[in-house]
Amino acid sequence: MQAAIAEGIFPRATRLPATRDLARELSVSRNTVLNVYENLMAQGYVTARTGSGTWIAENLPEGSLNTPRNVAPIETLSAKPAAISKRGASLLGHANASPYQWGAFVPGAPDVTQFPHKLFSQIQARLNREPDIERLIYSSNGGCAQLRAALAEYLSVARSVRADADQIIITEGIHQAVDLVSRVLCDPGDQVWIEEPGYWGTRNLLRINGLKINAIAVDEQGLIPDLPPRSRAPKMIFVTPSHQYPLGVHLSLERRKQLLDLARKHKTWLVEDDYDSEFRFSGQPFPSLQGFEPDAPVIYMGTFSKTLYPALRLGYLVVPKALAQPLRVAAAELYRGGHLLVQRALAEFIQKGHYMSHIRRMRKLYSQRRRFMVSLIERYLGADFLPVVNHEAGLHLVMNLPTGCDDVAVAALALRRGVKVRPLSQYYMHPQERRGLLLGFACVDERQCQDAFGILKGCLVEAKII
């Protein structure tokens, strides 16, 4: 579209189609079209006019003038449209990953500036000076043995997880963990349950792996595990029991029992995503579902993306003993694991107590930032906008919006003003009346938070929500 504007195919000072209409015509998600429009706006090719849509700029950026009008760019003379498979087109059409991963108010982004980088680098440098051969070759044993042992000890104490080191498989984050278990333990067409609303990343991975997805409603007690009579039981149930994503509720004791009973009766695997349970700001963290009963049919997933930093690309699976060897072999076959030097450094970081010290420090900081965010909502918007679920945990909260309003449009407007929020409606698989905005508070200090919140309030005024 950028080239078409530069070449004059789309004349200057003309109105572009509405995002809903263009998304419907191209059979892609509206979010995809919004991202394209936002990128064009950031580069100066289009402008937004309040109440009248998006328009081609009258004066194009200088770079666009390098290509003479009416002359096709060189690459278009030989390039042919890429042949995308149906599966690939489906993935791209549902793509939801944001290009913006830092700043107010990116949900789920930890404050990576607070990580003790110097200390961790010192550990790495010492280990790197004389690395063992085993840490320079492919990993076929589920990851670094020292890291798996350190995790087994930590998870037992911090999360009540029942496992030894042989049951732990190191992954490159939650996405790889979901891909591994869904590929190895499910066949195309198998039914799986996810939470409604739930994490779009899990949903898209399951979709591209050919599984039949059934979105199960979440209420104030968590996922509702009702299996209608004569219905086929799911092969897997993906759940975030300690801190439901994105709403923040926790799975009640009764629901935990119901889920485990259902899983045992129907030979269903429960996949527990414990993505940020370390950050609970009042009371003790809720124990894991995996450790709730001995030999529970639970596959436990964790990540260092929230506790340390996302680019580390390290997570882990804790699997029942019967699955340990098959999944370890499958992981080596699919992904050819590596990063063993970093894994060894992280093992020492955990074993020497630095990991727990960092978590305690960040828990205090995030608690303060969350309280400040809640105070801004209450002071400037009122109680009706406070999170429906007000559990003090995690790295984001969901600010409530009036039922039926266009939270996607509000998020797009905020992004054009430099504030990055996510619309709650996009986390639902099926249309819902509930609306809200996910506000990440972890990676912004109080001054940045107040400034960005003022901009967001202005967007709500412009959208006639307040």
Side-chain angles (χ1 to χ4, degrees):
M1 184 175 281
Q2 178 179 326
I5 294 173
E7 295 163 28
I9 296 173
F10 295 145
R12 303 184 191 194
T14 59
R15 189 177 185 275
L16 289 175
T19 55
R20 288 185 189 278
D21 297 338
L22 187 56
R24 190 180 304 112
E25 183 177 342
L26 298 178
S27 297
V28 298
S29 70
R30 186 185 179 202
N31 191 57
T32 300
V33 178
L34 284 168
N35 284 338
V36 171
Y37 278 24
E38 287 157 9
N39 287 333
L40 289 172
M41 185 175 303
Q43 296 169 29
Y45 284 89
V46 301
T47 60
R49 301 180 185 177
T50 303
S52 61
T54 305
W55 293 69
I56 306 294
E58 292 185 5
N59 298 310
L60 298 182
E62 271 187 42
S64 68
L65 303 178
N66 294 334
T67 301
R69 293 186 66 180
N70 303 321
V71 177
I74 293 174
E75 61 269 20
T76 64
L77 298 177
S78 58
K80 296 180 180 179
I84 303 295
S85 68
K86 291 181 179 179
R87 181 171 61 174
S90 175
L91 175 66
L92 295 173
H94 291 91
N96 223 342
S98 171
Y100 309 102
Q101 296 296 327
W102 180 255
F105 295 111
V106 175
D111 192 338
V112 297
T113 67
Q114 298 295 315
F115 179 70
H117 295 285
K118 183 177 180 180
L119 172 61
F120 193 68
S121 295
Q122 289 171 344
I123 296 173
Q124 284 184 287
R126 176 170 46 77
L127 293 171
N128 287 350
R129 280 195 287 271
E130 295 183 7
D132 295 337
I133 291 176
E134 289 76 12
R135 293 201 288 274
L136 298 177
I137 59 177
Y138 291 117
S139 170
S140 59
N141 296 313
C144 170
Q146 292 90 342
L147 180 55
R148 291 188 285 113
L151 274 172
E153 183 176 351
Y154 164 76
L155 292 171
S156 173
V157 174
R159 303 297 302 122
S160 302
V161 168
R162 306 169 187 250
D164 56 41
D166 289 338
Q167 293 173 251
I168 296 177
I169 299 169
I170 306 301
T171 69
E172 293 200 359
I174 293 294
H175 281 227
Q176 189 181 90
V178 172
D179 188 55
L180 176 63
V181 299
S182 61
R183 284 203 204 192
V184 176
L185 301 179
C186 296
D187 291 314
D190 281 346
Q191 182 184 175
V192 295
W193 285 5
I194 63 171
E195 296 169 323
E196 176 79 319
Y199 178 47
W200 53 263
T202 296
R203 186 167 68 225
N204 287 349
L205 279 164
L206 298 176
R207 179 185 289 112
I208 201 168
N209 283 340
L211 302 179
K212 183 180 179 182
I213 303 170
N214 193 0
I216 306 299
V218 169
D219 63 13
E220 66 278 359
Q221 296 186 60
L223 182 139
I224 305 172
D226 290 335
L227 182 65
R230 294 182 295 279
S231 295
R232 188 176 67 164
K235 196 69 171 284
M236 281 184 170
I237 299 175
F238 289 82
V239 62
T240 51
S242 296
H243 186 228
Q244 199 277 332
Y245 190 82
L247 296 180
V249 301
H250 70 271
L251 196 65
S252 68
L253 178 65
E254 184 59 33
R255 293 280 174 83
R256 290 174 182 240
K257 291 178 178 178
Q258 290 176 20
L259 262 182
L260 287 165
D261 289 346
L262 185 154
R264 291 189 190 280
K265 179 179 179 181
H266 297 283
K267 295 183 171 56
T268 295
W269 291 112
L270 303 177
V271 184
E272 176 179 9
D273 182 354
D274 203 25
Y275 65 101
D276 73 350
S277 59
E278 287 87 354
F279 299 121
R280 180 167 173 77
F281 311 132
S282 62
Q284 294 298 313
F286 296 108
S288 67
L289 180 64
Q290 191 268 4
F292 192 74
E293 294 179 356
D295 300 318
V298 177
I299 297 168
Y300 178 94
M301 303 189 301
T303 178
F304 293 102
S305 292
K306 310 304 183 189
T307 54
L308 301 183
Y309 56 91
L312 191 64
R313 300 316 306 137
L314 283 178
Y316 47 90
L317 282 167
V318 181
V319 303
K321 291 183 178 181
L323 293 179
Q325 179 64 12
L327 286 176
R328 193 158 48 238
V329 171
E333 190 69 21
L334 287 171
Y335 313 120
R336 309 302 290 160
H339 311 302
L340 294 177
L341 286 166
V342 175
Q343 291 183 31
R344 180 66 184 87
L346 181 54
E348 183 172 321
F349 188 78
I350 295 171
Q351 290 164 340
K352 292 192 173 180
H354 304 309
Y355 184 60
M356 282 303 302
S357 295
H358 178 64
I359 288 175
R360 284 193 294 268
R361 187 167 59 252
M362 301 312 291
R363 188 183 291 142
K364 181 179 179 181
L365 178 63
Y366 295 157
S367 176
Q368 293 170 350
R369 290 179 176 179
R370 187 185 189 282
R371 285 198 301 271
F372 186 70
M373 173 71 81
V374 170
S375 73
L376 290 176
I377 296 173
E378 193 167 25
R379 188 187 320 159
Y380 293 109
L381 299 180
D384 289 344
F385 289 82
L386 288 172
V388 175
V389 177
N390 200 23
H391 293 303
E392 295 188 18
L395 307 182
H396 78 276
L397 55 79
V398 178
M399 187 176 79
N400 195 39
L401 290 181
T403 299
C405 73
D406 193 343
D407 55 1
V408 174
V410 173
L413 178 60
L415 183 59
R416 293 196 289 272
R417 307 283 195 275
V419 177
K420 309 167 187 75
V421 297
R422 301 276 301 202
L424 177 62
S425 61
Q426 289 188 335
Y427 290 82
Y428 286 90
M429 187 171 174
H430 305 295
Q432 302 283 333
E433 287 298 311
R434 184 173 183 176
R435 296 292 183 268
L437 297 174
L438 273 70
L439 307 182
F441 51 80
C443 68
V444 286
D445 61 29
E446 291 188 2
R447 181 190 60 78
Q448 294 169 320
C449 184
Q450 181 143 10
D451 291 346
F453 192 83
I455 295 171
L456 179 60
K457 180 185 175 185
C459 294
L460 296 174
V461 171
E462 186 171 333
K464 298 181 180 179
I465 291 176
I466 60 173

